[in-house]
Each structure stands twice: as C-alpha cells, then as structure tokens.
Amino acid sequence: VTVRDALNQALDEELERDERVFLLGEEVAQYDGAYKISRGLWKKYGDKRVIDTPISEMGFTGIAVGAAMAGLRPVCEFMTFNFSMQAIDQVINSAAKTCYMSAGSIAVPIVFRGPNGASAGVAAQHSQCFAAWYGHCPGLKVVSPWSSEDAKGLLKASIRDDNPVVMLENELLYGVPFEMSEQAQSKDFIVPIGKAKIERQGTHVTLVSHSRPVGHCLEAAAVLAKEGVECEVINLRTIRPMDIETVEASVVKTNHLVTVEGGWPQFGVGAEICARIMEGSAFNYLDAPAVRVTGADVPMPYAKILEDNCIPQVKDIIFAVKKALNI
C-alpha cells in the first residue's frame, strides 16, 4: 500500500466514523487533492465535508481553528508546510495556546497536515523542514510518519486527539509502497502519538531518525551489516512529545548514538535528542560523542547536484556511524 493510499484510507474512515470531521484546503475537493491524497472523498462526502479554499492560508487556517473551537474536528491541509508560514500565527497563537489560556475549557481538536521538508527541484522556499519549528511549541503535538502504517495510524490518532496536531508528511514518500498487515488495514488501527518504533534491532550503534531518512538509515544499516556493524534503527514517529525513553534504552544497549534528519542542524531534532541524552542517565553509557547527520546549513539550492549534497544520503550515515565507532 502506498503512503498516499494509506492517508486516503485514514481520511475516508475518519470522515465516515465521525460527522464532525471535515477536510479543507487548496484543491482538496474537485481536483482530488494536489497530491491525490483526498481522491474520491469529495464525490463521496460532498461540499460540506470536503472544502476547496481560496489560496489564503491565513484565512482558511483561521476558519479551521475557529471551527475546532466550536466543536468540529477539521483536517486542514497545506499544499506544502512552507505555506503554513503564512498562517503560523493561527497555528501557534490561536490553536496551540488556547487550551492553556482558557484554563482547559476550550479544546482545539484540529489536524494540520501536508508535505514537509525537501522534495525534488523546488529550491529554497519550498524545501525546508518544519519539525524543529513546530516541535519547539508547547500546546502542539507533532508527528512525522515514514511508512504507510505510520501514515495511516498517526493520521487517525491525530484526528481523534483533542489537541492540535501538526502532521508532517513527505512528498517523495507518497508514491512509495510499504507492506501493511491485516491489522494495520482495519478501521480500528491507530499508532499512538508519542511512541517511537524500533525498525531494526542492533547492538553496536543507535540510529534515530524520522520521516524519509528512516529509509536511508535502514539502507545504511544493511550495508554496514555486511561489514559486521549491527545498527539499531529507531523511527521516532512523533517529534513532540518525544519518546526519549526508547532512545535511552537503545543507547544503554549500543553505547553509541547517531541522529539523522533532513532539516537544518542548528536547534534541530537531532540537537534536542543529543541534549536529552546528555541530561539523562543514558549519557553515562555513551562510549563516544553522539554524531548528528543533518541537511546542510544553507537555503536549499535548485541545482540537482547541489541539492543532493544538501540532503543526507546513505553514504553520509555510513560515514557518521564509522566516525562514532571510530572505525
């Protein structure tokens, strides 16, 4: 099942399950979604439940947040998360802080979703990763799926959650097929927010990642296994609240840590993981400094060769692992 179809399944099932759920965004209805995530939903549910908006992120995000305050459960799609900057005031000030500022009397059950991070050939303004931006803010939950199972389970959990959730998908993963179990295809399947998943067991080094780079970590682990290095690969799934316990338990076992992400290094997801490990008891088990693999600290170039050099590749992960293990 492709990630695209998994997301479509999740939306379909939740629209059917709860009539308060609705989807709004640019091109989501008549065009079936810019990335065909909402294919067939407008025909099935009609204008009230699947709503095409004008190209005005601040406007339709505000409408969605207001609808959530009034008791509906909107799914607000950004054509890419780069455009959410137009509406970041609504996401942070109107959605994230309202539960606290109303002393818990106003819930804002809303999901902000869309593609995040680097795609291919869309240059600096359309390639940045917002995991650290939104992960910084109390009041939000932030999830970042890799596989089809992650995508479906996290979207369903996010829609059912009474808090605002930012769901950071990846455009390059939409067409990628993953195996999905019978259980994952059932209507009751959810992936709990705030729980990481160990994608591969290992004993020598812990690789922690989220979104598309999880796949790169597994590829790197397969190459390194041939050289006798067993990597444990952790798929974070959730950026906030972060499941640091799973990472700590792994570091205690492997004594080495490498973080991998597509975003910029400064104040990034990897920086937070390293800080949390250093502050906790697992720090005493590290045999070497943790190593971060990140996107390059520059606005994303347009030229393909430069873009490839700005995004973490399998070879960069292998290099980082060998550096951490001093081999």
Side-chain angles (χ1 to χ4, degrees):
V1 179
T2 63
V3 173
R4 174 183 287 111
D5 291 340
L7 290 164
N8 181 272
Q9 262 178 40
L11 286 169
D12 189 6
E13 288 167 15
E14 294 304 301
L15 283 160
E16 186 174 59
R17 191 183 76 92
D18 185 345
E19 61 185 21
R20 295 170 300 173
V21 175
F22 71 98
L23 173 68
L24 83 168
E26 294 152 2
E27 309 280 18
V28 297
Q30 295 185 28
Y31 188 66
D32 276 345
Y35 306 99
K36 304 295 178 248
I37 304 293
S38 49
R39 184 187 281 132
L41 299 180
W42 176 66
K43 286 191 179 72
K44 183 171 177 182
Y45 296 101
D47 288 329
K48 270 223 160 93
R49 308 285 304 283
V50 185
I51 303 167
D52 277 333
T53 63
I55 302 175
S56 171
E57 277 75 16
M58 190 168 211
F60 70 73
T61 307
I63 288 170
V65 172
M69 289 175 179
L72 296 176
R73 304 185 83 87
V75 178
C76 175
E77 175 177 314
F78 295 117
M79 200 177 283
T80 93
F81 258 94
N82 301 277
F83 303 146
S84 75
M85 286 173 73
Q86 298 283 341
I88 202 162
D89 180 58
Q90 303 286 7
V91 177
I92 306 298
N93 284 324
S94 305
K97 296 176 184 174
T98 295
C99 182
Y100 177 80
M101 292 179 75
S102 66
S105 62
I106 302 173
V108 188
I110 184 170
V111 180
F112 304 102
R113 53 154 294 271
N116 166 68
S119 175
V122 290
Q125 292 174 336
H126 292 174
S127 295
Q128 59 217 9
C129 173
F130 285 86
W133 294 55
Y134 288 117
H136 187 57
C137 300
L140 287 177
K141 293 184 178 182
V142 183
V143 300
S144 178
W146 168 59
S147 66
S148 300
E149 183 178 300
D150 295 350
K152 181 178 179 186
L154 286 170
L155 181 50
K156 286 171 75 84
S158 301
I159 291 171
R160 296 181 191 189
D161 200 288
D162 286 333
N163 300 284
V165 182
V166 172
M167 179 154 170
L168 304 168
E169 300 158 11
N170 187 292
E171 186 189 335
L172 297 176
L173 286 174
Y174 283 155
V176 178
F178 289 88
E179 282 187 24
M180 271 179 94
S181 63
E182 287 286 306
Q183 179 202 359
Q185 302 218 39
S186 82
K187 291 191 173 177
D188 301 317
F189 176 74
I190 63 163
V191 168
I193 294 172
K195 280 300 294 171
K197 182 185 179 195
I198 297 173
E199 298 286 352
R200 179 193 173 108
Q201 297 280 351
T203 49
H204 295 129
V205 60
T206 300
L207 287 170
V208 188
S209 189
H210 69 95
S211 190
R212 186 164 169 259
V214 173
H216 297 351
C217 287
L218 289 169
E219 284 179 47
V223 173
L224 286 159
K226 293 183 182 136
E227 299 177 29
V229 176
E230 291 300 332
C231 303
E232 182 143 297
V233 178
I234 297 177
N235 171 8
L236 276 178
R237 283 180 162 178
T238 306
I239 306 299
R240 182 184 187 101
M242 191 179 279
D243 181 5
I244 207 70
E245 293 78 18
T246 298
V247 181
E248 282 183 330
S250 178
V251 167
V252 166
K253 181 171 78 170
T254 68
N255 312 115
H256 297 88
L257 174 65
V258 174
T259 67
V260 186
E261 65 190 304
W264 292 316
Q266 191 154 326
F267 312 113
V269 176
E272 174 66 16
I273 294 167
C274 291
R276 297 275 281 275
I277 290 297
M278 194 169 77
E279 288 168 347
S281 57
F283 177 68
N284 299 318
Y285 290 85
L286 278 177
D287 288 345
V291 181
R292 288 183 294 162
V293 180
T294 67
D297 198 14
V298 294
M300 182 63 74
Y302 174 67
K304 172 129 186 57
I305 183 126
L306 295 178
E307 182 179 77
D308 289 344
N309 279 299
C310 279
I311 298 168
Q313 308 290 347
V314 174
K315 63 177 171 43
D316 302 317
I317 299 168
I318 293 169
F319 181 80
V321 167
K322 289 184 172 177
K323 181 179 168 187
L325 294 170
N326 197 23
I327 52 176

